[in-house]
Amino acid sequence: MPDVTTPDLYEIESLLSDEERAVRDAVGRFVDDKVLPIIADCFEHERFPSELIPEMAELGLFGPTLTDYGCAGVGNVSYGLMMQELERGDSGIRSFASVQSGLVMYPIHTYGSDEQKKRWLPDMAKAKAIGCFGLTEPDGGSDPGTMKTHAVKQGGDWVLNGAKMWITSGTVADVAVVWAQTDDGIRGFLVEKGTPGYTSRDIKRKFSLRASITSELFFDNCKIPAENQLPLAKGLGAPLGCLTQARYGIAWGGLGAAMACYREALAFAKERILFGSPLAAKQTIQIRLADMLRQIVTGQLLVLQLGRLKDAGTMHHSQVSLAKWNNVRVGMDVARDARDMLGAGGISVECCPIRHMLNLESVITYEGTESIHQLIVGREITGIASF
Ligand code: TGC
Ligand code: FAD
């Protein structure tokens, strides 16, 4: 009989390589030992646990699929399993890793000069340098092609003006990958902390992702040296290409949040005695638990195939959209149902479902809202863009 508490009803374990299982278990142990004991407190007090960063770097969590510059060089399923385990801990911890890897190291590696790669990637892999990614603006994030932030060439330098909003790790970042309009279309720039004209401040009073730093970035006649432009990043496709990397990780992460909630609900249902028998003996509770497992297992098979396609180099970004949409929705629905199943205790931060439920309100919005991903899939099916 398979161990359905893990959950592994479909023997997905047997589809993973030794490397993939080892990576998942190492990150899982880190989450159990270091993240779970502190995360409720961090969430309650709106604190990002930066003390965890060095161990995350030792585990190879930053730029894990890159094969050079001191990165781990693991396959895409291993990368996905890392994100699953981190988000089993908290979406904020996974966010930090997603941004550092998919949104900062990836564009430097893909669109950067040799000098930019040498300067930033080894330090970022060791988390000696932290990055953020500035695409979204105050006037609307879903349509980044209409961004207002712009850069003008002045002599050998660029002069950047504008603002970015809702930026993960913004105030702690040593370098921001900033996207701006130029006379020649959208371009990417590496803006270093301390550059005159570049300021940032944190967004407070969030009810979601409270264990993550979210910031605003401001550029006021900010002078960027020409060598800080990403030479190979040309057009909107460049930032969207980065989003594909991070969205892929989020598709795995949503399942991690769902697994944490499912396990807590199942354990509670077995222990809670009501009307003379465990809650787990009630038909409607079993149906709800079975439905959670159905959603988790189908989501696991979806991202496993997605990872195999990514490794083969044939993955299309609309497939990533479908997986991000589906698996974040799985996380949200499972978290909400688990919260209810825990009764009054479920509204306490001592229980994980309400924290995951609130976090996933950000996750379903960032990296493309659920509607945007549905419309990306709709465009793929019909050939008609309806944005
Ligand atoms: P569209 O015409 O579709 O595309 C322009 C060019 O880009 C190409 N492309 C992609 N390439 C790679 N990956 C993707 N996902 C791509 N999507 C499109 C496309 O082929 C085209 O190339 P070319 O060569 O023909 O020029 O552009 P559009 O303006 O119609 O926009 C389409 C739309 C709505 C799908 C896009 O704007 C979009 O995805 N909007 C959502 C924006 C978004 O997701 N923002 C996220 C900001 S970062 C963030 O949230 C970080 S959270 C981090 C954390 O804490 O984890
Ligand atoms: P809008 O684009 O204004 O959308 C509002 C509503 O309209 C949504 O429901 C949307 O689905 C809907 N909508 C939009 N277009 C259509 C359409 N064509 N048809 C139907 N409905 C539509 N951004 C970054 O650049 N870097 C980061 O590091 C980052 N981190 C974030 C961290 C957090 C905690 C959060 C919450 C957001 C973060 N974001 C980041 C921003 C995120 O990417 C945007 O919030 C997201 O892209 C949506 O943009 P918006 O909030 O401006 O909503």
Side-chain angles (χ1 to χ4, degrees):
M1 184 63 194
D3 174 15
V4 292
T5 61
T6 305
D8 193 17
L9 191 58
Y10 265 62
E11 298 181 31
I12 290 168
E13 197 72 5
S14 68
L15 302 176
L16 303 178
S17 69
D18 289 346
E19 176 202 270
E20 289 159 353
R21 281 194 293 268
V23 163
R24 181 204 52 201
D25 293 347
V27 180
R29 276 192 299 277
F30 164 74
V31 168
D32 289 341
D33 296 347
K34 302 291 170 62
V35 178
L36 294 182
I38 62 166
I39 198 64
D41 196 56
C42 291
F43 186 89
E44 184 180 357
H45 297 106
E46 218 173 346
R47 183 180 80 81
F48 170 66
S50 54
E51 68 273 20
L52 299 179
I53 297 174
E55 195 167 339
M56 291 173 75
E58 270 169 42
L59 282 165
L61 289 167
F62 303 131
T65 56
L66 304 181
T67 50
D68 40 15
Y69 300 100
C71 298
V74 299
N76 282 292
V77 171
S78 293
Y79 168 49
L81 289 163
M82 287 172 165
M83 299 301 113
Q84 171 194 295
E85 289 305 297
L86 289 183
E87 197 141 2
R88 186 169 63 74
D90 192 82
S91 302
I93 309 295
R94 198 269 309 133
S95 266
F96 180 83
S98 287
V99 170
Q100 181 87 347
S101 303
L103 298 183
V104 184
M105 296 176 75
Y106 173 83
I108 294 174
H109 195 264
T110 308
Y111 309 125
S113 64
D114 281 346
E115 292 69 32
Q116 289 167 346
K117 291 182 208 182
K118 280 185 212 141
R119 160 123 196 242
W120 292 107
L121 294 178
D123 278 359
M124 296 200 83
K126 295 192 200 96
K128 287 185 181 162
I130 305 301
C132 71
F133 179 87
L135 182 65
T136 304
E137 301 196 345
D139 289 341
S142 296
D143 186 13
T146 58
M147 69 177 69
K148 295 200 174 94
T149 298
H150 58 276
V152 178
K153 202 91 192 247
Q154 241 179 46
D157 299 326
W158 288 93
V159 178
L160 190 60
N161 277 288
K164 298 288 176 181
M165 185 141 186
W166 302 109
I167 307 305
T168 300
S169 305
T171 52
V172 293
D174 300 289
V175 62
V177 173
V178 178
W179 300 94
Q181 293 282 3
T182 70
D183 285 346
D184 209 13
I186 290 172
R187 293 289 182 270
F189 300 91
L190 300 178
V191 184
E192 296 179 37
K193 195 174 197 161
T195 306
Y198 169 37
T199 51
S200 58
R201 71 169 175 225
D202 282 337
I203 298 172
K204 292 291 186 187
R205 307 184 77 190
K206 291 178 294 167
F207 276 49
S208 174
L209 279 194
R210 289 172 62 81
S212 170
I213 292 167
T214 316
S215 321
E216 290 175 271
L217 313 181
F218 305 97
F219 308 97
D220 180 10
N221 287 322
C222 177
K223 211 179 256 189
I224 316 285
E227 61 267 23
N228 280 20
Q229 186 197 341
L230 292 169
L232 301 178
K234 293 182 178 155
L236 183 60
L240 294 183
C242 306
L243 299 186
T244 298
Q245 309 309 311
R247 289 169 177 174
Y248 169 82
I250 292 171
W252 285 86
L255 295 179
M259 286 172 187
C261 297
Y262 163 84
R263 288 176 197 172
E264 193 157 331
L266 177 60
F268 179 82
K270 284 179 171 170
E271 281 166 17
R272 188 75 151 184
I273 307 293
L274 290 170
F275 299 96
S277 62
L279 205 49
K282 319 290 178 197
Q283 285 187 350
T284 57
I285 294 289
Q286 288 193 10
I287 290 170
R288 288 163 73 181
L289 289 166
D291 197 47
M292 288 180 191
L293 190 60
R294 171 187 63 78
Q295 295 182 66
I296 292 170
V297 169
T298 50
Q300 282 178 298
L301 292 168
L302 184 64
V303 281
L304 188 56
Q305 170 65 355
L306 189 69
R308 300 291 179 226
L309 293 175
K310 194 169 192 306
D311 275 340
T314 57
M315 184 186 81
H316 187 262
H317 59 75
S318 61
Q319 294 167 326
V320 181
S321 282
L322 193 142
K324 194 259 182 187
W325 157 25
N326 188 74
N327 288 5
V328 176
R329 174 53 60 186
V330 167
M332 287 197 82
D333 290 350
V334 170
R336 165 85 247 298
D337 207 26
R339 208 296 310 144
D340 177 82
M341 220 181 273
L342 297 175
I347 71 161
S348 168
V349 77
E350 297 295 330
C351 301
C352 79
I354 194 155
R355 176 169 51 79
H356 284 296
M357 191 180 110
L358 292 169
N359 280 341
L360 289 161
E361 290 292 337
S362 286
V363 180
I364 205 160
T365 293
Y366 68 35
E367 291 284 357
T369 65
E370 186 173 62
S371 297
I372 288 295
H373 289 296
Q374 290 166 333
L375 296 180
I376 290 170
V377 175
R379 177 175 65 179
E380 196 58 29
I381 296 167
T382 62
I384 305 165
S386 67
F387 306 109

